[in-house]
Structures are given as structure tokens and as C-alpha cells.
Amino acid sequence: MVLPFLILLALFNGFLVVTSRVINARLGTHVSAAGASFWNHFVGSVFLALIVIFLGDVDGGRVTFTEIPLVLFLGGFIGASYVAINNFVMPKVGATKATVLVIAGQIVLGAIIDMSNGQISNLNAVILGILLVILGVWFGSFKRK
Amino acid sequence: MNKQIYAAGAVGSGGLLALMIFLNGELARYTSPTWSSFIAHFVGIFGSWLLWKLIVRNKNIWPYSSGTPLWAYLGGVGGALIVVVANITVNSSLGLVGSLSLMILGQACLAMLFDLTGWFSFEKRKLMLADVLQVICIVAGSILIIWSGG
């Protein structure tokens, strides 16, 4: 595919992340943070089931459930908690803070996971990046008004 | 003071997200990205129902029961599409690094727009200099980490 289109598509995917989180957080103000997380996963499952049914073979999915280690099924539980916490926090601190602080936590822990797996090629740059992210989190701790 | 607790909650939930993506990524090696996302969402139905049952209990979660606009229930559609779209961009010339960087940039820009406009009926928020510096540092640091990984 053409590069400009791909760049737009990847940006659009970032838009999807925020839009999905903001809409679900709005639902959370009506039906509680955990209740909105329930609907997020329910609607998402129905939608993905349709995609798997109609486009399932597009990414060559061959599901062999018996071979999958049980621990890998825990992702859904962790995701449910993440969405609930996000729904709780977003109305309090706003979309921008909720979004970039989640990215901060995600990227730093992700970097630590990669480091412990020895998958980092440029350690100094990663440490500089982590310091920048921490500086960013600190900027947000200033009192308003 | 309270704001700090919410901020800590956001950072902590980002850590959960990293764990989830790691587990779902491993799961995708046994299945496919779309299947992995489906399984995670499906398990998440029970996880979030349990959370709701344990923590909230009395508040109603059913449609129309609380004057909730119908579109507010559709946030999950976007979440479901993310893996499908990522599957396209990660396997293109953008790769994982380019895809993640652009996704982070897109998230930060749209989140600021949502705060400034108050779309989706959240309150409008002004962005202070500290907020903008926060976005710049976190986005720049994150992209630096992504480009220096693997």
C-alpha cells in the first residue's frame, strides 16, 4: 500500500484508541466505570466475532485452544481492569492527561519487559526516553489555579 | 492531592495495558491477532462483569435504564477495530515502530482536541503550558523508546 495512506491509517488507529476510551468513559458516568468496561468488552466481542466469522482466514488464524497456556487467557481480565480504571480517571483529569499518562505507564513498563527479555538494542537511548517520560509525568503534578 | 491519585491510577492502568498487550501478543502467536483480540475481549466480558459485581453492585448497567445515549454503548467497536487496523499497518512498510509512533501521536493530538472542544459531552478544558509540556515530553520520550527498542 502507498505510504501516505498507511501513515494516515496508523494515525487513524490512534484516533480510534482515544475515541473508544472517551466514549466508554462517558458511558461510565452513567453506568459506573466497571459497568462501562462490561459494555466495552461485550460490544467489542460481538464486533470481533463478526470480523472473525467473515474475515477470519485473512490473517491465517488457526485456533488450537488446547495448545495455549492458560496464563495467556488472563489478558482479558487485565484489560477489563485497565478499561475500568481509565473510565474512572478520565472524567476527573480530562482526555489529554488520561491518554498521555496511560501511554507513560504503558511505554515504561513495556520497555522494562523488553529490557528483561534482552530485546533492547540501544540502552542509553531507552533510558533517556524513560527519563523524558518521567519528566513529562512530573510536569503534570503542578497545582492548577 | 486527589488529582495526584487519579494521575497515579492512569499511569498504573498504563502498566496494566503493557502487561495485557504482552499477554495478547503471546496469545496471537498461538492464534492470530484478530482471534487473540476476540479471546481477550470475550474473557474481558466476565472480568468486567465480576469487577462490576464486586465493586459497584447496585448501579444499573442495562441500556436506557439511566437515560444513557445509545452511542455511548458503542465505544467497544473502536477498541475492537484497533487490532484489525494495527494488523495492517504493522505488517506494512511502517512496521511496528512506525505504527506505534504514529498511533501515540494520533492519540495525543485527538485527546487534546477532545479536551479543547468538549466533544462527547465531557467538560471543555483549557490546556495550560504544563499540560502541553507534559504531552511533548511523554510523546517524545515514548517515540525515542520505541525507536531504540528491538
Side-chain angles (χ1 to χ4, degrees):
Chain A
M1 257 183 274
V2 227
L3 192 61
F5 174 73
L6 287 165
I7 290 174
L8 281 180
L9 196 62
L11 278 173
F12 169 76
N13 213 10
F15 296 168
L16 275 181
V17 175
V18 177
T19 311
S20 161
R21 297 279 53 81
V22 169
I23 291 179
N24 200 240
R26 166 67 201 275
L27 181 63
T29 62
H30 291 271
V31 300
S32 82
S37 177
F38 170 83
W39 285 108
N40 178 77
H41 289 87
F42 183 82
V43 172
S45 292
V46 172
F47 198 74
L48 279 164
L50 292 174
I51 289 174
V52 167
I53 289 167
F54 291 110
L55 306 172
D57 283 329
V58 167
D59 49 16
R62 296 280 181 279
V63 187
T64 39
F65 281 101
T66 45
E67 292 169 13
I68 303 172
L70 273 177
V71 66
L72 297 186
F73 288 99
L74 287 178
F77 279 101
I78 297 173
S81 321
Y82 149 70
V83 172
I85 295 173
N86 198 72
N87 288 342
F88 178 68
V89 164
M90 193 174 267
K92 308 279 199 311
V93 300
T96 305
K97 251 190 202 328
T99 302
V100 294
L101 289 176
V102 164
I103 292 172
Q106 178 191 353
I107 217 79
V108 170
L109 190 63
I112 292 169
I113 291 176
D114 284 349
M115 275 194 243
S116 61
N117 289 336
Q119 290 172 336
I120 299 285
S121 55
N122 188 344
L123 191 62
N124 289 336
V126 170
I127 289 170
L128 181 65
I130 291 178
L131 290 176
L132 254 177
V133 171
I134 291 173
L135 181 70
V137 174
W138 175 72
F139 269 130
S141 62
F142 295 143
K143 289 259 186 306
R144 299 185 154 225
K145 286 174 208 162
Chain B
M1 174 57 201
N2 270 339
K3 282 255 153 105
Q4 304 324 39
I5 291 171
Y6 297 129
V11 175
S13 76
L16 287 179
L17 188 59
L19 276 179
M20 185 200 78
I21 289 172
F22 175 73
L23 288 175
N24 290 357
E26 291 295 303
L27 183 57
R29 301 206 318 203
Y30 286 85
T31 56
S32 73
T34 312
W35 263 101
S36 162
S37 181
F38 170 69
I39 294 169
H41 271 83
F42 193 74
V43 172
I45 294 177
F46 300 98
S48 51
W49 183 80
L50 209 62
L51 271 182
W52 173 75
K53 206 72 190 158
L54 291 175
I55 301 171
V56 189
R57 290 191 211 109
N58 51 355
K59 251 193 153 178
N60 210 329
I61 61 171
W62 301 107
Y64 300 120
S65 58
S66 48
T68 318
L70 187 61
W71 56 259
Y73 287 90
L74 297 179
V77 174
L81 268 177
I82 293 163
V83 164
V84 179
V85 177
N87 207 9
I88 300 171
T89 61
V90 168
N91 291 311
S92 76
S93 51
L94 289 180
L96 184 63
V97 170
S99 299
L100 281 177
S101 306
L102 288 164
M103 276 178 73
I104 285 178
L105 196 64
Q107 284 185 60
C109 293
L110 195 67
M112 288 193 285
L113 185 69
F114 282 162
D115 271 342
L116 290 172
T117 57
W119 286 349
F120 298 111
S121 315
F122 277 123
E123 60 178 304
K124 273 189 195 178
R125 282 168 200 270
K126 282 186 188 142
L127 294 175
M128 325 288 269
L129 179 65
D131 296 328
V132 178
L133 286 175
Q134 177 170 53
V135 171
I136 291 172
C137 285
I138 292 177
V139 169
S142 300
I143 291 178
L144 181 61
I145 291 170
I146 292 168
W147 284 76
S148 319

